[in-house]
Amino acid sequence: MRLITFTESGTTRIGILDGESVVDLSAASPDLPREMVAFLEAGDSAMDAARSALEAGGPRLALADIHLESPILRPPKILAVGLNYADHVAEAGMDTPKYPMIFNKQSTSAHPPNEPFHLPRASPALDYEGELAVVIGKRCRHVPQERAYEVVAGYTICNDVSVRDWQIRVPTFTMGKSWDTHCPLGPAIVSADEVPDPHSLDLRTWVNGELRQSSNTKHLIFKVPALIEHLSTAFTLEPGDVIPTGTPSGVGAVMKPPKFLQAGDVVKIAISGIGELENGVIEEPENTVRIG
Ligand code: ZN
């Protein structure tokens, strides 16, 4: 089941992507929450109701007639993992981490599939990172690895867009990883039952049709259960939290010379069984200035 958030006729709500059509859950199952975090919080019964709506084969909207939003408009937390593929650790000239290297992307960086993200006015060093992202489905704490999959609602794609000069000029990554529009997600959350093994997925990234990243999630250093155990040792994970699991080699910053993104570029990330996430790049618009 491919869960989406979309806007149509002026309202934003959740649905299920089914090929080129969409099941509008607010019409098919009116008692369900219309917002993804609330839907995930409603747990297995909501998932079952959504699955019934899909199988009932009721009226559909055409994918072409809706606007896709970030599947989670504002994730409670976005907990990203750095240096989690050996080949990326090598290209970055770093040592293999002993512990997962966690950093936050701010909730406000979540961005829809298909909409362009911003080349900042304040930096030319814009880069992409194709990543598998885990979506948490249950409020949880102290989850042992062997029970980790119980708290996973599903998986999506994340472009962990990075502003490299801001990322590395101080010891923490936060300022370089959290610019508005710099966390494209989607297009859908693929429910966990359709992803029996998240560590066997081909991951590829293209820029303007040129293949830049080609790997497989089997190369993750810290696997999904280890990440969930590690994170939940410290704090509560909540429905709608997103964990981008790290990127393989092939980012623009380490090319010689570096190939940073330019306005007009198009970044496409494909993960087998999950989908394709494609976003263009535009100059940061003048109207991002907002005071009061
Ligand atoms: Zn990343």
Side-chain angles (χ1 to χ4, degrees):
M1 195 164 52
R2 295 172 178 267
L3 297 160
I4 59 170
T5 298
F6 68 97
T7 299
E8 188 265 346
S9 297
T11 63
T12 300
R13 52 207 196 262
I14 62 171
I16 305 170
L17 188 60
D18 186 17
E20 294 299 307
S21 67
V22 170
V23 178
D24 179 356
L25 282 175
S26 66
S29 197
D31 292 339
L32 284 176
R34 296 186 172 204
E35 189 273 325
M36 189 66 78
V37 172
F39 171 82
L40 295 172
E41 280 174 343
D44 293 340
S45 62
M47 277 289 186
D48 290 345
R51 204 165 277 116
S52 298
L54 173 65
E55 288 162 3
R60 308 284 173 108
L61 299 168
L63 177 59
D65 292 338
I66 63 150
H67 179 76
L68 282 170
E69 307 289 354
S70 168
I72 304 162
L73 293 172
R74 190 173 176 137
K77 295 188 281 299
I78 304 172
L79 298 157
V81 188
L83 302 174
N84 204 21
Y85 284 81
D87 55 357
H88 180 56
V89 173
E91 74 175 358
M94 309 290 280
D95 295 327
T96 301
K98 274 170 66 180
Y99 305 99
M101 203 283 270
I102 305 296
F103 59 90
N104 284 89
K105 290 174 83 74
Q106 306 308 308
S107 297
T108 41
S109 65
H111 191 63
N114 307 323
E115 275 186 33
F117 57 87
H118 295 172
L119 172 64
R121 280 195 289 280
S123 168
L126 185 68
D127 209 351
Y128 52 85
E129 294 190 354
E131 309 198 4
L132 175 72
V134 179
V135 177
I136 295 295
K138 290 194 168 69
R139 194 170 304 277
C140 60
R141 177 88 202 276
H142 291 300
V143 181
Q145 290 201 35
E146 57 271 21
R147 297 192 63 185
Y149 289 115
E150 295 175 35
V151 306
V152 175
Y155 302 87
T156 192
I157 302 171
C158 171
N159 188 345
D160 176 18
V161 179
S162 305
V163 179
R164 296 300 186 196
D165 50 351
W166 283 58
Q167 179 186 341
I168 60 172
R169 66 187 187 180
V170 292
T172 60
F173 283 3
T174 303
M175 290 301 294
K177 289 286 195 175
S178 290
W179 295 56
D180 286 0
T181 75
H182 284 187
C183 191
L185 293 169
I189 299 168
V190 180
S191 55
D193 58 300
E194 294 190 12
V195 188
D197 179 9
H199 305 107
S200 63
L201 310 176
D202 290 327
L203 187 163
R204 284 174 292 172
T205 305
W206 295 261
V207 178
N208 304 331
E210 178 189 322
L211 185 64
R212 297 282 187 88
Q213 298 187 289
S214 182
S215 188
N216 186 286
T217 54
K218 70 184 177 188
H219 297 302
L220 282 169
I221 296 170
F222 296 102
K223 306 251 183 313
V224 172
L227 293 171
I228 289 173
E229 179 178 283
H230 180 73
L231 291 164
S232 72
T233 299
F235 41 73
T236 298
L237 296 175
E238 302 168 285
D241 283 351
V242 174
I243 306 171
T245 55
T247 204
S249 65
V251 300
V254 299
M255 293 182 172
K256 301 204 177 4
K259 283 192 183 175
F260 292 120
L261 294 169
Q262 311 287 325
D265 286 349
V266 175
V267 182
K268 183 169 91 171
I269 302 163
I271 300 182
S272 53
I274 308 296
E276 291 184 356
L277 175 68
E278 183 172 304
N279 299 85
V281 180
I282 57 170
E283 303 270 5
E284 182 182 342
E286 294 296 326
N287 66 8
T288 56
V289 178
R290 197 175 302 141
I291 302 164

